């Protein structure tokens, strides 16, 4: 049975304040027992605390994260330079999935660089498979742009056939595609799904002040920028259709993620998502 968990990226400030173990203990209190790790420094100390949480709290580490090459100054682990460490961390935490959270920045600007990334990722997927670890690619909205009639996501699939997919339904929607149909299209390839809502926020009052002052451009920028990352059930996505299709498509983990909490405490956001999912009838997946 699939499990609903949490993408720890939204808790990185909590990890900085209290450390991984205490953060994961709070998550367990809310009702979550599975996590995906991203944007949390994989120091020896942090990995040790996560391992302790696995042993003492029963936390299931669904997936870890790594880039092919870390952007300058990012300080993240990269497969090209830290392969052995990444594999060791995954085995310590008993995570058999590793996800790439974003294509390299040069691949966003050059088709040649995109193909280079795909081929390098495919080779890395084969290498990781020898270690018992699957490699996954997480989409944003840019992957639904078309190049010669094909979406970038389809190019990635065709050029890196040994890499599987992590579908983020908010970014699918923001990319102009339907989350349910996208999950249908890639059925059998999607073990990881990100649950985040697509919410239309209120207009910033400052936009109307700008309009009154004659700054129409600033007003229109605010007008077109009202899309927000919402707690599950607080936006416009049809979660019953999405979750049921994710399960039918073979998802093993459905991971709540909210890139921006707009001033709310992230634990409070997770309580909202948790309670909404229970109300929708998905308590058995938690």
């Amino acid at each position: 049975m699939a499990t609903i968990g949490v993408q720890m990226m939204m808790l990185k400030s909590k990890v900085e304040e209290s450390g991984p173990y205490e953060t994961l203990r709070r998550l367990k209190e809310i009702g979550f027992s599975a996590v995906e790790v991203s944007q949390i420094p994989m120091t020896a100390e942090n990995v040790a605390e996560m391992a302790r949480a696995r042993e003492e709290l029963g936390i299931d580490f669904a997936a870890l994260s790594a880039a092919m090459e870390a952007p300058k100054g990012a300080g993240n682990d990269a497969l090209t330079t830290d392969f052995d460490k990444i594999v060791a961390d995954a085995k310590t935490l008993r995570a058999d999935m590793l996800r790439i959270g974003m294509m390299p920045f040069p691949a966003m600007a050059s088709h040649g660089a995109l193909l280079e990334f795909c081929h390098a990722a495919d080779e890395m997927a084969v290498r990781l498979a020898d270690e018992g670890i699957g490699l996954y690619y997480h989409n944003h909205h840019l992957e639904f742009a078309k190049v010669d009639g094909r979406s970038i996501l389809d190019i990635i699939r065709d050029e890196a056939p040994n890499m599987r997919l992590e579908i983020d339904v908010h970014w699918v929607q923001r990319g102009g595609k339907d989350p349910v149909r996208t999950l249908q299209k890639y059925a059998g390839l999607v073990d990881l799904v990100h649950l985040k809502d697509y919410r239309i926020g209120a207009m910033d009052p400052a936009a109307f002040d700008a309009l009154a002052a004659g700054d129409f451009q600033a007003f229109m920028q605010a007008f077109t920028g009202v899309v927000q990352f919402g707690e599950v059930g607080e936006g416009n996505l049809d979660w019953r259709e999405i979750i049921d299709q994710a399960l039918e498509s073979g998802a093993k983990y459905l991971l709540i993620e909210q890139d921006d909490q707009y001033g709310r405490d992230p634990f409070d956001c997770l309580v909202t998502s948790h309670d909404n999912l229970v109300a929708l009838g998905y308590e058995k997946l938690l």
Side-chain angles (χ1 to χ4, degrees), residues 158-197:
D158 292 344
E159 298 292 335
N162 290 291
M163 182 166 61
R164 295 168 68 80
L165 296 176
E166 177 176 59
I167 294 296
D168 185 311
V169 298
H170 171 101
W171 286 111
V172 171
Q173 181 80 11
R174 198 178 283 222
K177 303 296 286 186
D178 176 69
V180 173
R181 291 185 180 181
T182 300
L183 288 165
Q184 288 172 340
K185 177 177 179 177
Y186 297 111
L189 296 169
V190 184
D191 297 324
L192 301 167
V193 175
H194 275 186
L195 307 182
K196 76 172 67 129
D197 221 328

Side-chain angles (χ1 to χ4, degrees), residues 223-283:
F223 177 80
T224 58
V226 293
V227 173
Q228 294 183 348
F229 303 101
E231 298 86 349
V232 175
E234 298 297 311
N236 297 337
L237 297 184
D238 188 326
W239 287 107
R240 282 197 177 92
E241 286 192 9
I242 289 170
I243 292 174
D244 290 352
Q245 182 59 56
L247 299 176
E248 188 176 330
S249 294
K252 297 177 182 177
Y253 291 95
L254 312 173
L255 300 151
I256 297 167
E257 182 184 44
Q258 190 177 347
D259 301 40
D260 192 333
Q261 297 90 51
Y262 309 100
R264 286 194 79 195
D265 186 283
F267 284 127
D268 292 340
C269 293
L270 286 168
V271 169
T272 298
S273 291
H274 176 278
D275 291 351
N276 286 343
L277 286 164
V278 170
L280 287 168
Y282 295 108
E283 185 172 10

Side-chain angles (χ1 to χ4, degrees), residues 3-60:
T3 301
I4 294 176
V6 172
Q7 161 55 273
M8 285 185 71
M9 175 274 285
M10 63 183 293
L11 294 169
K12 57 188 177 183
S13 65
K14 299 298 184 181
V15 172
E16 290 173 1
E17 292 170 8
S18 306
Y21 183 87
E22 176 61 19
T23 301
L24 293 167
R25 188 192 65 77
R26 290 282 306 278
L27 269 186
K28 185 79 173 184
E29 285 183 345
I30 294 170
F32 296 107
S33 296
V35 296
E36 177 180 79
V37 183
S38 178
Q39 299 187 31
I40 307 298
M42 297 299 283
T43 62
E45 294 78 10
N46 281 352
V47 172
E49 284 199 35
M50 292 179 202
R52 180 184 164 212
R54 181 178 61 76
E55 294 296 329
E56 296 182 5
L57 304 174
I59 299 297
D60 178 9

